[in-house]
Amino acid sequence: MNLHDWRLPSKNLVRIVSVVGMPDLQMFPSNPDYIQIHTRRYEVRAFHMAEDRLMLRGVVVDEKPVGLYIEKDPDPLWMHHMILDLEIHFPSLVIQKATATFREHPHLDCVNIVDHYKKLEGMSITRGFNAKVRELFAGPRACTHTTALLQAMAPVAVQSMWSMRVASARSRGVSIEQVGEGPQTASPVNTCHMWEESGELATAVREGRDIEIPLSISKRLRSLGMSDDVWRE
């Protein structure tokens, strides 16, 4: 089974965040010259369900390499494979529906905890979310692997705020220039050293000045033979 074989139930959802299928990009450098003993994968995808609804799908997989545990086994062995689906209101970022699915797990009773994650429903996924997650799901109160996945999912919702508006514009045939800023429930200010409230980026936004184009977008434009002006238009 491939990590990416888990498919969405509806063709109407628009995927707006994914690391799958990007050309010539490698997440990892070549392995060092040692025996590999474990791989953990997290992947989180965001989907535009409707103009007022965002879906996050997170997957965590723990994989043992070929032949490590069972000498003649020709395939990698998945010890954990947990999926967490969150349907989130936009732009409030309040979780409306939470569904946990355990596809691979080491003990029969591991699945007894899946309904516990419904306690996410009604929670905001913005600041303070991880503290609430630790309160409700840390340690023996839930599954450590699913809870770690959950903490990786929250930033994706914030990263998808602008993409939600762009996807809505695309679905309506509206140009991106007409998207506008829209309501904000999650600000990047003080989320990292680049967005420190007295720093250049936050100050530029407060003063209504343009900020630099994201480097990944600038590099992609150049690779397509386009200038940064395309982004600014």
Side-chain angles (χ1 to χ4, degrees), residues 40 96 219:
R40 167 164 283 202
Q96 297 182 321
K219 288 188 290 185

Side-chain angles (χ1 to χ4, degrees), residues 91 93 126-127 158 161 184-188:
L93 298 186
T126 53
R127 289 184 188 176
V158 177
M161 294 288 285
Q184 289 286 346
T185 58
S187 167

Side-chain angles (χ1 to χ4, degrees), residues 74-87:
D75 297 313
L77 179 64
W78 283 13
M79 305 300 294
H80 300 106
H81 179 197
M82 284 81 176
I83 303 103
L84 190 57
D85 286 343
L86 304 178
E87 294 184 17

Side-chain angles (χ1 to χ4, degrees), residues 126-138:
T126 53
R127 289 184 188 176
F129 178 73
N130 281 343
K132 190 67 174 175
V133 165
R134 287 191 294 270
E135 177 186 332
L136 291 175
F137 305 108

Side-chain angles (χ1 to χ4, degrees), residues 5-233:
D5 285 344
W6 184 260
R7 297 292 186 239
L8 285 170
S10 170
K11 296 180 180 179
N12 296 324
L13 301 182
V14 178
R15 188 172 73 197
I16 60 180
V17 173
S18 176
V19 298
V20 177
M22 294 191 295
D24 302 319
L25 294 180
Q26 250 183 318
M27 290 179 66
F28 271 90
S30 298
N31 282 347
D33 191 20
Y34 305 121
I35 298 172
Q36 184 175 341
I37 59 175
H38 192 89
T39 299
R40 167 164 283 202
R41 298 189 186 98
Y42 293 102
E43 185 163 327
V44 184
R45 300 179 183 180
F47 300 86
H48 177 282
M49 300 180 69
E51 293 204 3
D52 65 348
R53 186 167 292 202
L54 164 73
M55 177 182 177
L56 293 186
R57 168 162 287 167
V59 178
V60 58
V61 167
D62 281 314
E63 179 180 284
K64 295 298 180 182
V66 170
L68 182 68
Y69 277 6
I70 304 174
E71 188 172 0
K72 295 183 179 181
D73 186 358
D75 297 313
L77 179 64
W78 283 13
M79 305 300 294
H80 300 106
H81 179 197
M82 284 81 176
I83 303 103
L84 190 57
D85 286 343
L86 304 178
E87 294 184 17
I88 301 168
H89 178 264
F90 180 80
S92 70
L93 298 186
V94 171
I95 299 169
Q96 297 182 321
K97 184 178 180 182
T99 305
T101 305
F102 288 9
R103 296 283 293 271
E104 295 290 347
H105 45 89
H107 309 291
L108 290 174
D109 289 343
C110 286
V111 296
N112 292 348
I113 201 66
V114 294
D115 286 342
H116 186 59
Y117 286 92
K118 291 191 176 298
K119 292 186 177 182
L120 291 162
E121 295 173 1
M123 290 173 53
S124 170
I125 205 165
T126 53
R127 289 184 188 176
F129 178 73
N130 281 343
K132 190 67 174 175
V133 165
R134 287 191 294 270
E135 177 186 332
L136 291 175
F137 305 108
R141 291 183 285 279
C143 165
T144 184
H145 315 294
T146 307
T147 300
L149 169 64
L150 183 57
Q151 292 175 313
M153 293 174 71
V156 179
V158 177
Q159 290 289 315
S160 299
M161 294 288 285
W162 174 249
S163 300
M164 276 290 289
R165 298 187 182 99
V166 172
S168 290
R170 300 280 193 208
S171 66
R172 298 194 309 268
V174 176
S175 67
I176 295 177
E177 289 77 11
Q178 300 177 47
V179 171
E181 289 299 322
Q184 289 286 346
T185 58
S187 167
V189 174
N190 286 333
T191 58
C192 78
H193 72 104
M194 288 297 297
W195 281 100
E196 195 270 326
E197 61 185 324
S198 61
E200 175 59 28
L201 283 176
T203 301
V205 170
R206 282 196 302 271
E207 294 176 353
R209 293 186 280 117
D210 289 337
I211 62 174
E212 62 187 2
I213 297 172
L215 290 175
S216 55
I217 293 174
S218 183
K219 288 188 290 185
R220 181 59 57 85
L221 286 170
R222 289 198 300 272
S223 75
L224 295 172
M226 301 178 185
S227 74
D228 289 351
D229 293 337
V230 173
W231 178 256
R232 295 190 179 99
E233 290 173 356

